[in-house]
Amino acid sequence: MSARTYEVRTYGCQMNVHDSERLSGLLEGAGYVRAPAGSDGADVVVFNTCAVRENADNRLYGNLGQLVPKKAARPGMQIAVGGCLAQKDRDTIVKRAPWVDVVFGTHNIGQLPVLLERARIAEEAQVEIVESLETFPSTLPSRRESAYAAWVAISVGCNNTCTFCIVPALRGKEKDRRPGDVLAEVEALVAEGVIEVTLLGQNVNAYGSDIGDREAFGKLLRATGAVEGLERIRFTSPHPRDFTDDVIAAMAETPTVMHQLHMPLQSGSDRVLKAMRRSYRQDRYLGIIEKVRAAMPDSAITTDIIVGFPGETEEDFAQTLHVVREARFAQAFTFQYSKRPGTPAADMEGQIPKAVVQERYERLVALQEEISWEQNKTQVGRTLEVLVAEGEGRKDDATRRLSGRAPDNRLVHFERPEGGQARPGDMVTVEITYAAPHHLLAERPALSVRRTRAGDAWERRTAAPAPQPAGVMLGLPTIGAPAAGAAVPAAAAGGCSAC
């Protein structure tokens, strides 16, 4: 009998992407195999949901509805819904979509295989939502999407009370991992071939609040930087409230910490920031930017911005445009305010008409596009070492190019080296010849290719499986691309990281 297949569909922020790696690891540990890419369906489909955007509910139920005929035609097929929307809606999901077999929350993802089996035996839906974390996700098995880059969660939950955000209610209070556990995971990943890690937290630089050390995050950056064989360290997303000088010093003084910072602004108006319950003001935010650039002049800074928060006036919006001009962001992930039931902002007076929000949004995007292009043009003529990525360039096959990330996380497309010697995970040194608002281009042959352990790991992972004796069905699942900081990721950068 062949193994049952699975598919995980992920919506939302980096935390959800990382959770999906754990869900895949759990399912494979229970004997499931990933459904081949492009296949007509899987025996188990898992939705890992986000609750940040206003249309998250409609999107989920629309996708669930599309599976009704497939489930009817596929005996034994199961559908599971987890993540933030499942934590919020609980029994509502089964009422609205009675063909769903399992509903689980953000705190008990480790129970998915058990719940699927229980639903199969009982022949009825299993809904299990718990109110506090059962097991830190990083202790669960994982099927990493990348052989060369990895997420490493250092905390879960959030202690902030932003009025537009429902995440703290769904993810709970912040819980920090012990530094030794984080470092042990990083060392294990490096031993497997990983050369880039991104430290991940709902409010990553608040790390230490749960263990009583305000400088714990800076110390963790330095300690991670001492791991032999690790070449690049990133982190996301920090909160301006907790961005202290020791973190800036750790970034500047640790060679493997990249000079890249994604720090949500949300609004440039002090009045709106107060209404949002953001614990900083315009001067504080711009002061951090100034300090970062003084310590690391080559740093690339990106942000999140919400347009049309309740009560936002034209003057408030003008203050946001002012900060954008002053900060000179390399990129900004911009969002129209989305009302979320259960958040204080949803009941505030002064909800802004859609047409006004749209007009402001378009002005902000136009300004940031102009600044992003100007910032990228400063890279023309520079020589950069690019980590070759898998799946970052949608047109790579048509253009005969490869794509990857510069140290500051800018996306770079470059001429494919002769002989195909550059593999995902390898490092390629290129000269930038052209800049667009969202990417850089190297149109001349690469200056050098450095083959790495990460490239070796990718090659092993994607190699054709050895022939097996008749009757033994062993195959490698399809390897996907990492979802790190892409150029258009409303999901990646503006989900939970909007805090």
Side-chain angles (χ1 to χ4, degrees):
M1 181 177 178
S2 60
R4 283 167 60 79
T5 60
Y6 78 90
E7 176 189 356
V8 179
R9 302 184 186 182
T10 309
Y11 307 95
C13 65
Q14 296 95 331
M15 191 67 77
N16 271 21
V17 173
H18 187 49
D19 282 349
S20 288
E21 293 182 328
R22 301 294 173 188
L23 292 170
S24 296
L26 286 160
L27 290 171
E28 293 190 8
Y32 296 82
V33 297
R34 177 174 285 193
S39 65
D40 187 45
D43 297 310
V44 172
V45 178
V46 182
F47 291 86
N48 189 11
T49 63
C50 172
V52 170
R53 312 307 298 169
E54 186 175 15
N55 65 354
D57 308 58
N58 293 335
R59 186 178 185 186
L60 170 65
Y61 292 111
N63 287 324
L64 288 174
Q66 293 174 7
L67 290 183
V68 173
K70 289 188 176 183
K71 187 172 184 182
R74 194 182 189 105
M77 180 181 176
Q78 292 181 297
I79 301 170
V81 179
C84 290
L85 194 60
Q87 187 79 22
K88 180 177 78 72
D89 284 358
R90 306 176 182 233
D91 294 329
T92 304
I93 293 174
V94 174
K95 290 177 181 176
R96 291 185 62 177
W99 55 93
V100 169
D101 300 278
V102 170
V103 178
F104 62 101
T106 58
H107 299 307
N108 63 328
I109 65 174
Q111 292 298 309
L112 175 60
V114 172
L115 293 172
L116 286 168
E117 183 65 8
R118 194 185 300 166
R120 185 186 66 81
I121 294 172
E123 297 185 341
E124 64 179 13
Q126 301 295 306
V127 178
E128 185 172 293
I129 305 290
V130 299
E131 299 304 324
S132 60
L133 195 67
E134 289 188 340
T135 305
F136 201 95
S138 291
T139 65
L140 300 173
S142 175
R143 184 194 187 283
R144 301 276 181 179
E145 290 300 312
S146 169
Y148 50 87
W151 307 107
V152 176
I154 67 172
S155 64
V156 294
C158 181
N159 294 336
N160 293 323
T161 58
C162 300
T163 55
F164 57 82
C165 186
I166 198 170
V167 170
L170 304 179
R171 291 277 182 178
K173 293 293 185 181
E174 180 176 327
K175 293 185 181 296
D176 297 332
R177 294 177 72 190
R178 292 169 57 88
D181 292 340
V182 175
L183 293 174
E185 182 178 356
V186 172
E187 290 167 352
L189 289 167
V190 171
E192 294 172 3
V194 168
I195 60 173
E196 176 180 294
V197 299
T198 300
L199 303 181
L200 188 61
Q202 223 73 59
N203 181 11
V204 70
N205 60 327
Y207 179 78
S209 63
D210 191 41
I211 55 180
D213 183 357
R214 281 186 54 81
E215 296 188 349
F217 184 62
K219 294 174 184 175
L220 183 63
L221 284 178
R222 293 180 188 273
T224 307
V227 174
E228 187 175 353
L230 185 61
E231 298 195 25
R232 292 184 172 186
I233 301 168
R234 307 187 190 279
F235 59 89
T236 195
S237 286
H239 193 292
R241 181 195 66 186
D242 302 299
F243 213 94
T244 50
D245 290 349
D246 66 293
V247 172
I248 297 173
M251 291 178 66
E253 296 166 9
T254 308
T256 49
V257 175
M258 298 295 96
H259 293 178
Q260 172 231 342
L261 173 64
H262 181 80
M263 186 167 65
L265 167 66
Q266 307 305 7
S267 174
S269 163
D270 288 353
R271 194 185 68 81
V272 173
L273 288 170
K274 183 178 180 181
M276 289 179 167
R277 285 193 206 145
R278 303 287 287 179
S279 52
Y280 56 89
R281 299 296 178 259
Q282 181 186 121
D283 286 349
R284 161 72 173 158
Y285 188 94
L286 290 174
I288 295 171
I289 300 294
E290 184 178 358
K291 288 181 179 180
V292 168
R293 291 214 167 105
M296 296 164 283
D298 61 338
S299 58
I301 300 172
T302 59
T303 196
D304 297 334
I305 300 173
I306 296 173
V307 178
F309 187 80
E312 180 189 74
T313 65
E314 184 61 29
E315 175 54 33
D316 292 323
F317 179 65
Q319 289 300 306
T320 295
L321 297 180
H322 168 71
V323 174
V324 169
R325 293 188 184 99
E326 290 292 310
R328 311 295 296 174
F329 297 116
Q331 191 175 102
F333 301 92
T334 52
F335 308 95
Q336 299 183 34
Y337 169 72
S338 178
K339 183 189 293 189
R340 295 307 295 142
T343 62
D347 299 320
M348 286 182 176
E349 295 181 358
Q351 302 286 329
I352 311 298
K354 171 66 176 175
V356 175
V357 177
Q358 181 68 33
E359 189 274 335
R360 290 176 185 171
Y361 175 80
E362 290 172 0
R363 273 192 282 156
L364 175 60
V365 169
L367 173 62
Q368 183 56 51
E369 288 276 304
E370 178 185 331
I371 293 172
S372 294
W373 200 358
E374 290 174 358
Q375 292 287 86
N376 277 357
K377 284 176 181 177
T378 66
Q379 304 297 305
V380 174
R382 292 193 62 195
T383 298
L384 302 176
E385 188 172 52
V386 176
L387 173 57
V388 183
E390 183 178 32
E392 287 270 29
R394 290 174 296 173
K395 299 180 181 178
D396 281 352
D397 288 339
T399 59
R400 297 291 300 162
R401 293 175 180 145
L402 294 177
S403 299
R405 294 284 169 173
D408 64 9
N409 211 38
R410 283 182 167 93
L411 178 63
V412 180
H413 305 299
F414 55 92
E415 184 176 316
R416 191 185 299 264
E418 292 297 329
Q421 69 268 39
R423 308 160 298 178
D426 287 338
M427 293 287 192
V428 175
T429 301
V430 300
E431 181 183 350
I432 303 303
T433 58
Y434 176 81
H438 299 293
H439 69 266
L440 303 174
L441 188 60
E443 300 166 291
R444 303 188 183 108
L447 302 177
S448 66
V449 177
R450 177 163 64 87
R451 292 170 73 87
T452 68
R453 296 178 304 100
D456 295 341
W458 177 87
E459 198 165 62
R460 289 193 300 271
R461 190 168 177 174
T462 55
Q468 299 294 330
V472 178
M473 302 295 289
L474 292 177
L476 285 178
T478 301
I479 305 302
V488 288
C496 304
S497 71
C499 297

